Each structure stands twice: as C-alpha cells, then as structure tokens.
Amino acid sequence: MTMRLVVDQPFDLALSLEMGQTFRWRRVGDEDVRDRDWGHPPERWRTGGGWYSGVLGEFLVHVRQMPGGMEYRVGDEAGEREDIDLEQGLRDYFRLDDDITAVYSEITRDPVVKRAVEQYPGLRLLRQDPWECLASYVCSRVQSIRGTRGDVETIARLSRRTVRIGDDVRHVFPAPMFVAHSDLAAADPGLGLSRARDIVTIAGSVERDALPLDRAGAGAEPSADVVRRLDGYPGVGPKIASCVALMALDSLDAFPVDRWVQRAIAKCDLSEMPHGRGRRSLAEKIECSLALTDAQQYQVAAWARARFGAYAGYAGQYLFHWAEPHKERAVRGDCPVCGPDRR
DNA sequence: GGCCAGGTATAGC
DNA sequence: GCTATACATGGC
C-alpha cells in the first residue's frame, strides 16, 4: 500500500538522500546510487518519480518525490505494526517539521550561502540514527562517498537480518553489540585496518555506554559540548564528531569543516575570522587550503555560528554541496603567501 | 604512476 | 598549540 506525505516547503528528495550526508539509500532498480554530475543545473539530476530504498530502524521504506510532497510504502513487518506511526517517523527523519523558510532567511544573509541555497533549493538535513551515523562517518574518513556507501553496506550485512519489499532485500543496520564482536576487518578488507579497528572499538564502547549518543540528552546542552564528547572516540576528530552532532543529535549549529567546506568558506568574507596563533593566520590557511588543527576547526565552527546563526549546520551542508561541483582545487599557486597548495 | 577522497593520531618543536 | 607526516585503499 502506498501512502502520501504532504510537504509544503522546499524539499528535494534526491538531493537530500544522495549528496553524501547519509549512505544507505539506493534507487530502486539501480544496482547502486551512482555519483551524480552535480555540475549540471538541477533539472539534470532531479529524478522526480524514482523510488528510493532505505532502512529506517527495523523497517524497510521506499520513498519517492511527488508534486506537493512524497509517497512511501513499507515492508510487511512494518505494515503489521499498528503501534508505529510511520508518517511521524518519516517526518522526523526528513526533518519536515523544521521551518526551512525560516532557516533560509537566517543563513542566506551570507551572500555565498545565498548562492548555494538558490542553486540547490530543497536540500534537507536528515535526522539519522546516531550509532549508524557515527559508524558511517568513520568509514567516510579520507574516502569517497561511493566507497563509504560500500563500507556501510558491508557493516549492515553483519546483522544478518533482512527486510524486504518485493524484490528489494536490505539489511537492518546492526546494533553495536554485533559489530563489537565481529571481525569487521575480515568482512570488509576495503575498509582498511585502522578504520575497522576504530569502528569495532567504538561499537564496544557504545555497547557499554550509549549515553554520548543519546539525542534527548544532547538536546539539553550546547552543541560544542556534544561535539567535544564525541571527539573522544578513537578515530573520531572534530569533523566526524560535528557531523554526528549535526545529523543525528539535533545540534543544528554544529559545523563540520572538511576539505570542501573549507574551500567554500574561502569565498566568504573572512575579515571576522580569528587570527589564530600560528605563523599564518587562520584566514590564510583557509584561503590556501592548508590543513587546520583541531583547535582551528573549532574556531572556524565558532566563527560559523557567529556568522550564520543557530542554523549554521544547514549553511554548512549547502556550502559542502555547493563547493563540490565547482571542483576548484585549492588556490594553486596564486596565493601570495603560501605558493602552490599543499593540502 | 600520481593524485584524490566529507580526517585522525602522533612526534617534535 | 602549531607543523609535518604516516596511515590504507580504490578510482580515475
């Protein structure tokens, strides 16, 4: 049975699912979600009508965009559960109760963010499962989005628990316990030893104490504190910690700084960027795409909060997405201070 | 073969 | 606290 969900604000399903904030959605019928050619105008990649398959908690869901909202269908196991409010579950996952118009009016005060929003309207943050989000972003460490998808799917198979809609069979993402006592490195050689080891270690830690990933608890404190705590997991630094806080723990002002966001920020007015203590100013390092220290990433996040406001994380997602198709490599020799980029 | 990918940990200053 | 470097794998 297919059901409808009304969405009365900008909402681009394909963009929100495929841009690389989450890694387990697939187009139904395709073997894989292929990387889009983001450089083309939106008409080129907006699928409109195609079904997507994703696993939310225990359930398999298919969704597709329709005029005025979206349609969805679920597997039998979910259809039989009358205690589950699927529609509300989807509204929560897609953050449809966020007032995206209000978000836009906040973050588009910055002209660079404004351009990004105008180019990719309807890009939404998602509210992901914290443990899956954390494991996924450890996989994403210095890896392509495509490769990350493969690794996350391999971890999912560890649960050995499948759900299906028709021919579409997917795996439920395993609880930390399964991963903690698995040989992940053997299951996924492509993941690499260090990432596999970190994920297994984190799984054990979360199995013993899931409090750092508790959404309700995180909601009560400043995002900077949430991020700092996640930063303590092995193989997790400021960037991954910020991603989890933003995309799973409702810290909408968390601001992950990766290569792309750093490149995008270079286009912003950096006059208010703190100088930093190093030989080069923080602004210079950003303009020249030099590596930032952990402390400097936190300084940039604080700058972003001051500049973009309480929804700085939304601004960051638009900047991430906007930077990628431009594919401008770091400054490349025209930086008077640093010379050729060395990142 | 070289460069790149939604970074992090570590040694050395 | 900052800088440079190793790390591990696959795609182009």
Side-chain angles (χ1 to χ4, degrees):
Chain A
M1 184 169 58
T2 301
M3 288 156 286
R4 286 169 185 268
L5 190 55
V6 174
V7 184
D8 57 2
Q9 286 196 321
F11 177 58
D12 187 317
L13 181 68
L15 193 48
S16 304
L17 294 182
E18 291 193 37
M19 66 163 286
Q21 57 175 322
T22 179
F23 303 96
R24 286 204 68 207
W25 289 89
R26 296 175 173 170
R27 291 187 222 165
V28 177
D30 287 7
E31 280 140 28
D32 191 10
V33 173
R34 306 209 161 269
D35 292 326
R36 301 278 185 103
D37 184 352
W38 301 107
H40 288 291
E43 294 73 34
R44 277 291 294 279
W45 44 258
R46 202 166 274 166
T47 54
W51 285 100
Y52 283 88
S53 158
V55 182
L56 298 185
E58 314 269 292
F59 306 128
L60 176 57
V61 186
H62 286 180
V63 294
R64 69 170 165 179
Q65 181 138 28
M66 299 291 285
M70 51 199 278
E71 287 187 340
Y72 65 95
R73 58 194 187 206
V74 295
D76 295 338
E77 67 282 347
E80 292 164 2
R81 292 276 295 274
E82 296 189 353
D83 56 319
I84 303 292
D85 186 344
L86 276 167
E87 171 160 344
Q88 190 55 46
L90 288 171
R91 297 197 75 85
D92 288 343
Y93 181 78
F94 287 102
R95 303 198 72 102
L96 296 180
D97 295 323
D98 283 358
D99 185 351
I100 195 78
T101 307
V103 171
Y104 285 169
S105 65
E106 274 264 327
I107 64 179
T108 57
R109 284 179 300 174
D110 180 279
V112 177
V113 175
K114 186 165 198 266
R115 268 191 282 167
V117 169
E118 285 168 352
Q119 198 164 359
Y120 303 106
L123 167 60
R124 291 274 183 159
L125 279 171
L126 306 173
R127 185 182 281 110
Q128 302 183 46
D129 174 78
W131 150 241
E132 178 178 335
C133 186
L134 176 57
S136 299
Y137 273 93
V138 173
C139 293
S140 80
R141 210 164 72 193
V142 201
Q143 218 199 161
S144 63
I145 291 172
R146 171 86 71 98
T148 304
R149 283 199 184 102
D151 290 326
V152 175
E153 201 59 36
T154 302
I155 294 176
R157 283 190 216 106
L158 293 175
S159 76
R160 314 187 73 162
R161 211 174 123 204
T162 57
V163 283
R164 75 168 62 217
I165 297 177
D167 293 340
D168 182 34
V169 180
R170 306 291 308 274
H171 287 264
V172 170
F173 197 81
M177 179 179 65
F178 287 93
V179 179
H181 306 289
S182 71
D183 188 352
L184 181 55
D188 186 3
L191 188 56
L193 287 176
S194 82
R195 282 186 290 232
R197 174 179 24 83
D198 289 341
I199 289 169
V200 169
T201 305
I202 293 169
S205 173
V206 175
E207 181 188 8
R208 289 188 301 276
D209 175 18
L211 210 54
L213 296 181
D214 181 63
R215 184 178 295 143
E221 52 186 341
S223 68
D225 296 346
V226 177
V227 172
R228 294 276 183 180
R229 187 164 49 247
L230 298 173
D231 192 339
Y233 285 117
V236 175
K239 190 271 172 182
I240 293 174
S242 301
C243 283
V244 176
L246 174 64
M247 300 174 191
L249 299 180
D250 284 345
S251 301
L252 292 184
D253 62 335
F255 194 82
V257 181
D258 65 12
R259 320 167 175 234
W260 298 107
V261 169
Q262 187 175 338
R263 282 170 217 184
I265 289 173
K267 309 290 187 194
C268 296
D269 174 8
L270 299 180
S271 57
E272 301 296 317
M273 187 68 74
H275 186 280
R277 296 264 177 259
R279 182 92 186 84
R280 303 183 190 79
S281 76
L282 186 45
E284 276 172 357
K285 290 181 76 168
I286 291 167
E287 284 163 359
C288 303
S289 286
L290 300 176
L292 306 183
T293 66
D294 288 7
Q296 287 170 330
Q297 290 187 53
Y298 286 128
Q299 286 180 5
V300 172
W303 169 87
R305 270 191 284 282
R307 185 170 182 81
F308 306 132
Y311 301 115
Y314 264 102
Q317 286 312 286
Y318 279 91
L319 291 174
F320 169 76
H321 196 67
W322 175 80
E324 205 266 349
H326 289 233
K327 283 268 180 195
E328 289 175 35
R329 277 186 39 96
V331 178
R332 262 293 189 209
D334 54 355
C335 172
V337 181
C338 307
D341 77 282
R342 312 166 42 198
R343 181 157 179 169

Short mmCIF file of all heavy atoms in Angstrom, two decimals, chain A residues 297-337:
data_model
loop_
_atom_site.label_atom_id
_atom_site.label_comp_id
_atom_site.label_asym_id
_atom_site.label_seq_id
_atom_site.Cartn_x
_atom_site.Cartn_y
_atom_site.Cartn_z
N GLN A 297 39.76 24.04 13.74
CA GLN A 297 38.44 23.63 13.24
C GLN A 297 37.35 24.13 14.17
O GLN A 297 36.28 24.56 13.73
CB GLN A 297 38.36 22.12 13.11
CG GLN A 297 39.22 21.57 11.97
CD GLN A 297 38.98 20.09 11.76
OE1 GLN A 297 37.85 19.65 11.59
NE2 GLN A 297 40.05 19.31 11.78
N TYR A 298 37.63 24.06 15.48
CA TYR A 298 36.63 24.55 16.43
C TYR A 298 36.50 26.07 16.35
O TYR A 298 35.41 26.62 16.55
CB TYR A 298 36.99 24.09 17.85
CG TYR A 298 36.72 22.62 18.06
CD1 TYR A 298 37.70 21.77 18.57
CD2 TYR A 298 35.48 22.08 17.76
CE1 TYR A 298 37.46 20.42 18.77
CE2 TYR A 298 35.22 20.73 17.95
CZ TYR A 298 36.21 19.90 18.45
OH TYR A 298 35.95 18.56 18.63
N GLN A 299 37.59 26.73 16.05
CA GLN A 299 37.49 28.19 15.88
C GLN A 299 36.65 28.54 14.66
O GLN A 299 35.85 29.48 14.70
CB GLN A 299 38.90 28.80 15.73
CG GLN A 299 39.67 28.85 17.03
CD GLN A 299 41.05 29.47 16.86
OE1 GLN A 299 41.41 29.95 15.80
NE2 GLN A 299 41.83 29.45 17.93
N VAL A 300 36.81 27.79 13.60
CA VAL A 300 36.02 28.04 12.40
C VAL A 300 34.54 27.78 12.70
O VAL A 300 33.66 28.52 12.26
CB VAL A 300 36.49 27.16 11.23
CG1 VAL A 300 35.53 27.27 10.04
CG2 VAL A 300 37.90 27.55 10.81
N ALA A 301 34.27 26.72 13.46
CA ALA A 301 32.88 26.41 13.82
C ALA A 301 32.27 27.55 14.62
O ALA A 301 31.11 27.93 14.39
CB ALA A 301 32.81 25.09 14.59
N ALA A 302 33.04 28.11 15.53
CA ALA A 302 32.54 29.23 16.33
C ALA A 302 32.30 30.45 15.43
O ALA A 302 31.28 31.15 15.57
CB ALA A 302 33.53 29.57 17.44
N TRP A 303 33.20 30.66 14.51
CA TRP A 303 33.03 31.75 13.52
C TRP A 303 31.74 31.53 12.72
O TRP A 303 30.96 32.46 12.49
CB TRP A 303 34.24 31.78 12.60
CG TRP A 303 34.10 32.66 11.39
CD1 TRP A 303 34.38 33.99 11.30
CD2 TRP A 303 33.65 32.25 10.09
NE1 TRP A 303 34.13 34.44 10.02
CE2 TRP A 303 33.69 33.39 9.25
CE3 TRP A 303 33.24 31.04 9.53
CZ2 TRP A 303 33.32 33.36 7.91
CZ3 TRP A 303 32.87 31.00 8.19
CH2 TRP A 303 32.91 32.15 7.39
N ALA A 304 31.51 30.29 12.32
CA ALA A 304 30.32 29.98 11.52
C ALA A 304 29.05 30.23 12.32
O ALA A 304 28.06 30.74 11.80
CB ALA A 304 30.38 28.52 11.05
N ARG A 305 29.08 29.88 13.60
CA ARG A 305 27.90 30.12 14.44
C ARG A 305 27.61 31.61 14.54
O ARG A 305 26.47 32.05 14.49
CB ARG A 305 28.09 29.53 15.84
CG ARG A 305 27.62 28.09 15.94
CD ARG A 305 27.57 27.61 17.37
NE ARG A 305 28.89 27.31 17.90
CZ ARG A 305 29.55 26.19 17.63
NH1 ARG A 305 29.01 25.29 16.85
NH2 ARG A 305 30.74 25.96 18.14
N ALA A 306 28.69 32.38 14.69
CA ALA A 306 28.51 33.82 14.79
C ALA A 306 28.00 34.41 13.47
O ALA A 306 27.19 35.33 13.46
CB ALA A 306 29.83 34.49 15.19
N ARG A 307 28.46 33.87 12.38
CA ARG A 307 28.14 34.43 11.08
C ARG A 307 26.81 33.94 10.53
O ARG A 307 26.02 34.70 9.97
CB ARG A 307 29.24 34.10 10.08
CG ARG A 307 29.05 34.75 8.73
CD ARG A 307 30.27 34.62 7.85
NE ARG A 307 30.06 35.30 6.59
CZ ARG A 307 30.21 36.60 6.40
NH1 ARG A 307 30.58 37.36 7.41
NH2 ARG A 307 29.98 37.14 5.23
N PHE A 308 26.55 32.63 10.68
CA PHE A 308 25.36 32.04 10.06
C PHE A 308 24.20 31.85 11.03
O PHE A 308 23.08 31.61 10.61
CB PHE A 308 25.71 30.69 9.42
CG PHE A 308 26.85 30.74 8.45
CD1 PHE A 308 27.88 29.82 8.51
CD2 PHE A 308 26.89 31.72 7.47
CE1 PHE A 308 28.94 29.86 7.60
CE2 PHE A 308 27.94 31.79 6.56
CZ PHE A 308 28.97 30.85 6.63
N GLY A 309 24.51 31.86 12.33
CA GLY A 309 23.43 31.78 13.31
C GLY A 309 23.17 30.37 13.81
O GLY A 309 23.98 29.45 13.64
N ALA A 310 21.98 30.20 14.41
CA ALA A 310 21.63 28.95 15.09
C ALA A 310 21.51 27.78 14.12
O ALA A 310 21.53 26.63 14.54
CB ALA A 310 20.32 29.12 15.85
N TYR A 311 21.37 28.08 12.82
CA TYR A 311 21.27 27.02 11.82
C TYR A 311 22.56 26.91 10.99
O TYR A 311 22.52 26.59 9.80
CB TYR A 311 20.08 27.25 10.91
CG TYR A 311 18.77 27.32 11.65
CD1 TYR A 311 18.03 28.49 11.69
CD2 TYR A 311 18.28 26.20 12.31
CE1 TYR A 311 16.83 28.55 12.37
CE2 TYR A 311 17.08 26.25 13.00
CZ TYR A 311 16.36 27.43 13.03
OH TYR A 311 15.17 27.48 13.71
N ALA A 312 23.66 27.18 11.63
CA ALA A 312 24.94 27.15 10.92
C ALA A 312 25.18 25.81 10.23
O ALA A 312 25.77 25.75 9.16
CB ALA A 312 26.08 27.46 11.89
N GLY A 313 24.67 24.75 10.85
CA GLY A 313 24.87 23.43 10.25
C GLY A 313 24.18 23.30 8.90
O GLY A 313 24.73 22.67 7.98
N TYR A 314 23.02 23.89 8.77
CA TYR A 314 22.36 23.91 7.47
C TYR A 314 23.23 24.65 6.46
O TYR A 314 23.42 24.21 5.33
CB TYR A 314 20.99 24.60 7.57
CG TYR A 314 19.82 23.67 7.74
CD1 TYR A 314 19.23 23.49 8.99
CD2 TYR A 314 19.30 22.98 6.66
CE1 TYR A 314 18.15 22.64 9.15
CE2 TYR A 314 18.22 22.13 6.81
CZ TYR A 314 17.65 21.96 8.06
OH TYR A 314 16.58 21.12 8.21
N ALA A 315 23.75 25.79 6.88
CA ALA A 315 24.62 26.56 5.98
C ALA A 315 25.79 25.71 5.53
O ALA A 315 26.18 25.71 4.36
CB ALA A 315 25.11 27.83 6.69
N GLY A 316 26.36 24.95 6.47
CA GLY A 316 27.49 24.10 6.14
C GLY A 316 27.14 23.05 5.09
O GLY A 316 27.94 22.77 4.19
N GLN A 317 25.94 22.48 5.18
CA GLN A 317 25.55 21.47 4.19
C GLN A 317 25.41 22.08 2.81
O GLN A 317 25.80 21.48 1.81
CB GLN A 317 24.22 20.83 4.60
CG GLN A 317 24.37 19.87 5.75
CD GLN A 317 25.52 18.90 5.55
OE1 GLN A 317 25.42 17.98 4.76
NE2 GLN A 317 26.63 19.11 6.24
N TYR A 318 24.87 23.27 2.76
CA TYR A 318 24.76 23.93 1.45
C TYR A 318 26.14 24.28 0.91
O TYR A 318 26.40 24.15 -0.28
CB TYR A 318 23.87 25.17 1.55
CG TYR A 318 22.40 24.82 1.51
CD1 TYR A 318 21.69 24.57 2.67
CD2 TYR A 318 21.74 24.70 0.29
CE1 TYR A 318 20.35 24.22 2.63
CE2 TYR A 318 20.40 24.35 0.24
CZ TYR A 318 19.71 24.11 1.41
OH TYR A 318 18.40 23.75 1.36
N LEU A 319 27.02 24.70 1.79
CA LEU A 319 28.37 25.05 1.32
C LEU A 319 29.11 23.82 0.84
O LEU A 319 29.81 23.85 -0.16
CB LEU A 319 29.15 25.73 2.46
CG LEU A 319 28.66 27.13 2.83
CD1 LEU A 319 29.41 27.65 4.06
CD2 LEU A 319 28.83 28.09 1.66
N PHE A 320 28.94 22.73 1.57
CA PHE A 320 29.56 21.47 1.15
C PHE A 320 29.10 21.10 -0.25
O PHE A 320 29.89 20.77 -1.12
CB PHE A 320 29.19 20.35 2.12
CG PHE A 320 29.57 18.97 1.64
CD1 PHE A 320 30.88 18.54 1.69
CD2 PHE A 320 28.61 18.12 1.13
CE1 PHE A 320 31.23 17.28 1.23
CE2 PHE A 320 28.95 16.86 0.67
CZ PHE A 320 30.26 16.44 0.72
N HIS A 321 27.82 21.20 -0.45
CA HIS A 321 27.27 20.76 -1.72
C HIS A 321 27.60 21.72 -2.84
O HIS A 321 27.79 21.32 -4.00
CB HIS A 321 25.76 20.62 -1.60
CG HIS A 321 25.20 19.84 -2.72
ND1 HIS A 321 25.48 18.50 -2.88
CD2 HIS A 321 24.44 20.18 -3.78
CE1 HIS A 321 24.88 18.08 -3.97
NE2 HIS A 321 24.25 19.06 -4.53
N TRP A 322 27.70 22.97 -2.49
CA TRP A 322 27.98 23.99 -3.49
C TRP A 322 29.44 23.92 -3.95
O TRP A 322 29.76 24.15 -5.11
CB TRP A 322 27.67 25.35 -2.88
CG TRP A 322 28.00 26.54 -3.72
CD1 TRP A 322 27.25 27.04 -4.75
CD2 TRP A 322 29.15 27.37 -3.61
NE1 TRP A 322 27.86 28.14 -5.27
CE2 TRP A 322 29.03 28.37 -4.61
CE3 TRP A 322 30.27 27.39 -2.78
CZ2 TRP A 322 29.99 29.37 -4.78
CZ3 TRP A 322 31.21 28.38 -2.95
CH2 TRP A 322 31.06 29.35 -3.95
N ALA A 323 30.30 23.58 -3.04
CA ALA A 323 31.73 23.58 -3.34
C ALA A 323 32.10 22.46 -4.29
O ALA A 323 32.94 22.62 -5.17
CB ALA A 323 32.55 23.46 -2.05
N GLU A 324 31.45 21.34 -4.14
CA GLU A 324 31.90 20.14 -4.85
C GLU A 324 31.86 20.27 -6.37
O GLU A 324 32.86 20.00 -7.04
CB GLU A 324 31.09 18.94 -4.36
CG GLU A 324 31.80 17.63 -4.52
CD GLU A 324 31.44 16.95 -5.82
OE1 GLU A 324 30.49 17.40 -6.49
OE2 GLU A 324 32.11 15.99 -6.17
N PRO A 325 30.74 20.71 -6.96
CA PRO A 325 30.72 20.78 -8.42
C PRO A 325 31.68 21.80 -8.97
O PRO A 325 32.11 21.69 -10.12
CB PRO A 325 29.27 21.14 -8.75
CG PRO A 325 28.68 21.64 -7.50
CD PRO A 325 29.43 21.04 -6.39
N HIS A 326 32.01 22.79 -8.15
CA HIS A 326 32.95 23.80 -8.64
C HIS A 326 34.34 23.23 -8.79
O HIS A 326 35.13 23.70 -9.59
CB HIS A 326 32.94 25.01 -7.71
CG HIS A 326 31.69 25.79 -7.82
ND1 HIS A 326 31.65 27.12 -8.04
CD2 HIS A 326 30.39 25.40 -7.76
CE1 HIS A 326 30.40 27.55 -8.12
NE2 HIS A 326 29.62 26.51 -7.93
N LYS A 327 34.62 22.24 -8.00
CA LYS A 327 35.86 21.48 -8.14
C LYS A 327 37.07 22.37 -8.32
O LYS A 327 38.02 21.98 -8.97
CB LYS A 327 35.77 20.52 -9.34
CG LYS A 327 34.94 19.30 -9.07
CD LYS A 327 35.80 18.17 -8.58
CE LYS A 327 34.92 16.95 -8.31
NZ LYS A 327 35.59 15.94 -7.53
N GLU A 328 36.98 23.55 -7.80
CA GLU A 328 38.17 24.38 -7.89
C GLU A 328 39.16 23.81 -6.91
O GLU A 328 38.86 23.69 -5.74
CB GLU A 328 37.85 25.82 -7.48
CG GLU A 328 37.01 26.54 -8.47
CD GLU A 328 36.63 27.92 -7.93
OE1 GLU A 328 37.47 28.52 -7.24
OE2 GLU A 328 35.51 28.35 -8.19
N ARG A 329 40.27 23.47 -7.43
CA ARG A 329 41.26 23.00 -6.50
C ARG A 329 41.68 24.17 -5.64
O ARG A 329 41.47 25.31 -5.98
CB ARG A 329 42.45 22.40 -7.24
CG ARG A 329 42.16 20.97 -7.63
CD ARG A 329 43.36 20.33 -8.22
NE ARG A 329 44.55 20.74 -7.51
CZ ARG A 329 45.10 20.05 -6.55
NH1 ARG A 329 44.58 18.93 -6.16
NH2 ARG A 329 46.20 20.46 -5.98
N ALA A 330 42.27 23.84 -4.56
CA ALA A 330 42.77 24.87 -3.67
C ALA A 330 43.56 25.85 -4.50
O ALA A 330 43.84 25.61 -5.63
CB ALA A 330 43.66 24.23 -2.65
N VAL A 331 43.96 26.89 -3.91
CA VAL A 331 44.35 28.08 -4.65
C VAL A 331 45.35 27.87 -5.77
O VAL A 331 45.30 28.54 -6.77
CB VAL A 331 44.85 29.13 -3.65
CG1 VAL A 331 45.31 30.35 -4.36
CG2 VAL A 331 43.75 29.46 -2.69
N ARG A 332 46.21 26.94 -5.65
CA ARG A 332 47.05 26.57 -6.78
C ARG A 332 47.97 27.68 -7.25
O ARG A 332 47.86 28.15 -8.38
CB ARG A 332 46.16 26.20 -7.97
CG ARG A 332 45.94 24.73 -8.15
CD ARG A 332 47.21 24.03 -8.52
NE ARG A 332 46.95 22.66 -8.89
CZ ARG A 332 47.83 21.70 -8.71
NH1 ARG A 332 49.00 21.96 -8.16
NH2 ARG A 332 47.56 20.48 -9.08
N GLY A 333 48.83 28.05 -6.40
CA GLY A 333 49.89 28.90 -6.91
C GLY A 333 49.61 30.38 -6.93
O GLY A 333 50.54 31.17 -7.00
N ASP A 334 48.33 30.76 -6.85
CA ASP A 334 48.10 32.19 -6.88
C ASP A 334 47.93 32.77 -5.49
O ASP A 334 47.44 33.87 -5.31
CB ASP A 334 46.89 32.54 -7.76
CG ASP A 334 45.66 31.77 -7.33
OD1 ASP A 334 45.79 30.91 -6.44
OD2 ASP A 334 44.59 32.03 -7.89
N CYS A 335 48.33 32.02 -4.50
CA CYS A 335 48.34 32.58 -3.16
C CYS A 335 49.70 33.22 -2.92
O CYS A 335 50.72 32.56 -2.99
CB CYS A 335 48.09 31.50 -2.11
SG CYS A 335 48.31 32.10 -0.44
N PRO A 336 49.70 34.52 -2.65
CA PRO A 336 50.97 35.24 -2.49
C PRO A 336 51.77 34.78 -1.28
O PRO A 336 52.98 34.96 -1.22
CB PRO A 336 50.53 36.69 -2.34
CG PRO A 336 49.11 36.62 -1.87
CD PRO A 336 48.54 35.39 -2.47
N VAL A 337 51.10 34.17 -0.34
CA VAL A 337 51.79 33.80 0.90
C VAL A 337 52.36 32.39 0.83
O VAL A 337 53.53 32.15 1.10
CB VAL A 337 50.82 33.89 2.11
CG1 VAL A 337 51.56 33.53 3.39
CG2 VAL A 337 50.24 35.28 2.19
#
